[in-house]
Amino acid sequence: QVQLVESGGGLVQSGGSLTLACAAPGSRLDFYAVGWLRQGPGKAREGVGCIDSEGRSYHGDSVRGRFTLSRDNARKEAYLHLNGLNPEDTGTYYCVAAGDTGCSIGSYALLDPSGQGTLVTVSS
Protein backbone atom coordinates (compact mmCIF):
# COMPACT_ATOMS: atom_id res chain seq x y z
CA GLN A 1 0.00 0.00 0.00
CA VAL A 2 1.30 3.41 -0.93
CA GLN A 3 1.73 5.60 2.13
CA LEU A 4 0.28 9.04 1.57
CA VAL A 5 0.45 12.17 3.73
CA GLU A 6 -2.17 14.91 3.58
CA SER A 7 -1.56 18.56 4.46
CA GLY A 8 -2.96 22.03 3.96
CA GLY A 9 -6.09 21.98 6.06
CA GLY A 10 -7.11 24.80 8.35
CA LEU A 11 -9.82 27.20 9.40
CA VAL A 12 -11.41 29.27 6.66
CA GLN A 13 -14.47 31.48 6.40
CA SER A 14 -17.44 30.54 4.30
CA GLY A 15 -16.73 31.40 0.68
CA GLY A 16 -13.00 30.99 1.15
CA SER A 17 -10.47 28.70 -0.49
CA LEU A 18 -7.83 26.20 0.49
CA THR A 19 -5.46 23.90 -1.34
CA LEU A 20 -4.78 20.50 0.14
CA ALA A 21 -1.73 18.47 -0.78
CA CYS A 22 -1.20 14.74 -0.87
CA ALA A 23 2.41 13.58 -0.80
CA ALA A 24 3.86 10.16 -1.41
CA PRO A 25 7.25 10.17 0.31
CA GLY A 26 9.40 7.32 -0.81
CA SER A 27 7.01 6.11 -3.50
CA ARG A 28 6.25 6.84 -7.11
CA LEU A 29 2.85 8.40 -7.51
CA ASP A 30 2.69 8.66 -11.29
CA PHE A 31 1.38 5.11 -11.74
CA TYR A 32 -1.60 5.75 -9.50
CA ALA A 33 -4.79 7.67 -9.53
CA VAL A 34 -5.24 9.82 -6.43
CA GLY A 35 -8.65 9.98 -4.85
CA TRP A 36 -9.82 12.36 -2.19
CA LEU A 37 -12.26 11.41 0.55
CA ARG A 38 -13.74 13.40 3.38
CA GLN A 39 -15.58 12.70 6.58
CA GLY A 40 -17.58 15.40 8.26
CA PRO A 41 -18.73 15.33 11.87
CA GLY A 42 -21.42 12.71 12.25
CA LYS A 43 -21.31 11.87 8.56
CA ALA A 44 -20.20 8.89 6.56
CA ARG A 45 -16.98 9.11 4.61
CA GLU A 46 -17.58 10.15 1.00
CA GLY A 47 -15.60 10.47 -2.17
CA VAL A 48 -14.87 14.04 -3.16
CA GLY A 49 -12.98 13.53 -6.38
CA CYS A 50 -10.25 11.64 -8.12
CA ILE A 51 -7.52 12.40 -10.63
CA ASP A 52 -6.19 9.49 -12.66
CA SER A 53 -2.65 8.80 -13.81
CA GLU A 54 -3.30 10.66 -17.07
CA GLY A 55 -4.61 13.74 -15.32
CA ARG A 56 -8.30 13.19 -15.99
CA SER A 57 -10.38 14.26 -13.02
CA TYR A 58 -13.75 13.15 -11.68
CA HIS A 59 -15.75 15.02 -9.11
CA GLY A 60 -18.37 14.15 -6.56
CA ASP A 61 -21.77 15.74 -7.08
CA SER A 62 -21.55 17.86 -3.95
CA VAL A 63 -18.33 19.59 -5.00
CA ARG A 64 -18.54 19.74 -8.78
CA GLY A 65 -17.86 23.27 -9.94
CA ARG A 66 -16.21 24.24 -6.67
CA PHE A 67 -13.32 21.81 -6.14
CA THR A 68 -10.65 20.98 -8.69
CA LEU A 69 -7.85 18.44 -8.73
CA SER A 70 -4.32 18.56 -10.02
CA ARG A 71 -1.11 16.64 -9.67
CA ASP A 72 2.63 17.12 -10.02
CA ASN A 73 4.24 13.75 -10.63
CA ALA A 74 7.75 15.19 -10.46
CA ARG A 75 7.03 16.34 -6.91
CA LYS A 76 5.11 13.13 -6.17
CA GLU A 77 2.18 15.21 -5.02
CA ALA A 78 -1.48 15.66 -5.82
CA TYR A 79 -3.67 18.57 -4.88
CA LEU A 80 -7.27 19.29 -4.08
CA HIS A 81 -8.23 22.93 -4.64
CA LEU A 82 -11.24 23.87 -2.56
CA ASN A 83 -13.16 26.97 -3.60
CA GLY A 84 -16.47 28.42 -2.52
CA LEU A 85 -16.27 26.61 0.78
CA ASN A 86 -19.31 26.37 3.01
CA PRO A 87 -19.78 24.89 6.49
CA GLU A 88 -21.02 21.62 4.97
CA ASP A 89 -17.49 21.10 3.63
CA THR A 90 -16.10 20.88 7.14
CA GLY A 91 -14.38 17.57 7.80
CA THR A 92 -11.20 15.58 7.67
CA TYR A 93 -9.91 15.12 4.14
CA TYR A 94 -7.91 12.09 3.09
CA CYS A 95 -6.21 10.98 -0.09
CA VAL A 96 -5.88 7.43 -1.37
CA ALA A 97 -3.91 5.79 -4.16
CA ALA A 98 -6.18 4.01 -6.59
CA GLY A 99 -6.23 2.49 -10.02
CA ASP A 100 -7.49 4.48 -12.98
CA THR A 101 -10.59 2.33 -13.31
CA GLY A 102 -11.44 2.77 -9.66
CA CYS A 103 -11.00 6.47 -10.12
CA SER A 104 -13.41 6.75 -13.03
CA ILE A 105 -16.16 4.55 -11.57
CA GLY A 106 -15.92 5.99 -8.08
CA SER A 107 -14.81 2.90 -6.20
CA TYR A 108 -11.79 4.81 -4.87
CA ALA A 109 -14.22 6.08 -2.24
CA LEU A 110 -14.28 2.59 -0.70
CA LEU A 111 -10.55 2.53 -0.01
CA ASP A 112 -9.18 3.01 3.48
CA PRO A 113 -6.79 5.95 3.76
CA SER A 114 -3.24 5.28 4.92
CA GLY A 115 -2.70 8.78 6.30
CA GLN A 116 -4.09 10.77 9.20
CA GLY A 117 -5.95 13.22 7.01
CA THR A 118 -6.04 16.98 7.22
CA LEU A 119 -8.83 18.89 8.94
CA VAL A 120 -10.77 21.58 7.11
CA THR A 121 -13.06 23.75 9.19
CA VAL A 122 -15.34 26.25 7.48
CA SER A 123 -16.92 28.90 9.66
CA SER A 124 -20.18 30.57 8.71
Side-chain angles (χ1 to χ4, degrees), residues 3-119:
Q3 297 297 311
L4 300 176
V5 179
E6 304 90 349
S7 63
L11 174 63
V12 62
Q13 289 187 330
S14 186
S17 300
L18 279 175
T19 293
L20 308 183
C22 173
S27 299
R28 291 191 64 168
L29 197 59
D30 49 339
F31 297 141
Y32 296 93
V34 177
W36 288 90
L37 317 176
R38 70 181 178 186
Q39 187 162 19
K43 298 181 180 179
R45 197 164 62 201
E46 64 171 337
V48 174
C50 187
I51 182 166
D52 72 12
S53 62
E54 299 294 326
R56 291 177 292 249
S57 57
Y58 306 87
H59 302 82
D61 290 340
S62 63
V63 305
R64 188 173 289 113
R66 299 189 297 124
F67 293 5
T68 59
L69 301 100
S70 64
R71 63 190 299 157
D72 185 335
N73 289 335
R75 287 180 167 271
K76 297 190 290 184
E77 291 186 344
Y79 308 97
L80 179 65
H81 307 277
L82 295 74
N83 301 298
L85 286 162
N86 61 63
E88 291 296 306
D89 297 315
T90 292
T92 299
Y93 286 69
Y94 305 88
C95 57
V96 293
D100 283 354
T101 300
C103 186
S104 64
I105 66 174
S107 61
Y108 70 91
L110 302 177
L111 297 173
D112 288 325
S114 60
Q116 297 297 311
T118 187
L119 178 62

